[in-house]
Amino acid sequence: MEELMYIQSKIHAPKDSVNQYGKYKYRKAEQILEAAKPYLTETQCTLVVSDEIVLVGNSIYVKSTST
């Protein structure tokens, strides 16, 4: 638990991408993973990412879960 708190306090992943349709800023999973890698190595932790396709109404989304 201490390692997770350390990583969360150190990681910096700004919202650099902009959705042109909805006009909102977001961060990509790749940006978060790149920011986390040095701290994962330092604390000898592993981050596992799994993706799932979900249907919400008439829209299809990719749901990513990180553990």
Side-chain angles (χ1 to χ4, degrees):
M1 185 63 91
E2 290 177 26
E3 291 88 352
L4 177 59
M5 290 178 6
Y6 173 75
I7 293 169
Q8 287 179 327
S9 71
K10 294 292 185 179
I11 195 170
H12 179 69
K15 294 182 179 181
D16 292 338
S17 301
V18 178
N19 177 290
Q20 296 302 319
Y21 180 74
K23 305 292 187 217
Y24 60 87
K25 291 184 175 184
Y26 65 98
R27 62 183 64 89
K28 297 178 185 174
E30 293 84 6
Q31 293 170 295
I32 297 169
L33 293 174
E34 276 302 310
K37 279 182 185 180
Y39 303 110
L40 292 169
T41 302
E42 180 181 332
T43 58
Q44 297 181 345
C45 291
T46 303
L47 181 62
V48 178
V49 181
S50 60
D51 295 333
E52 173 187 0
I53 305 298
V54 293
L55 178 64
V56 179
N58 292 328
S59 300
I60 298 173
Y61 297 94
V62 177
K63 176 182 173 182
S64 271
T65 303
S66 301
T67 53

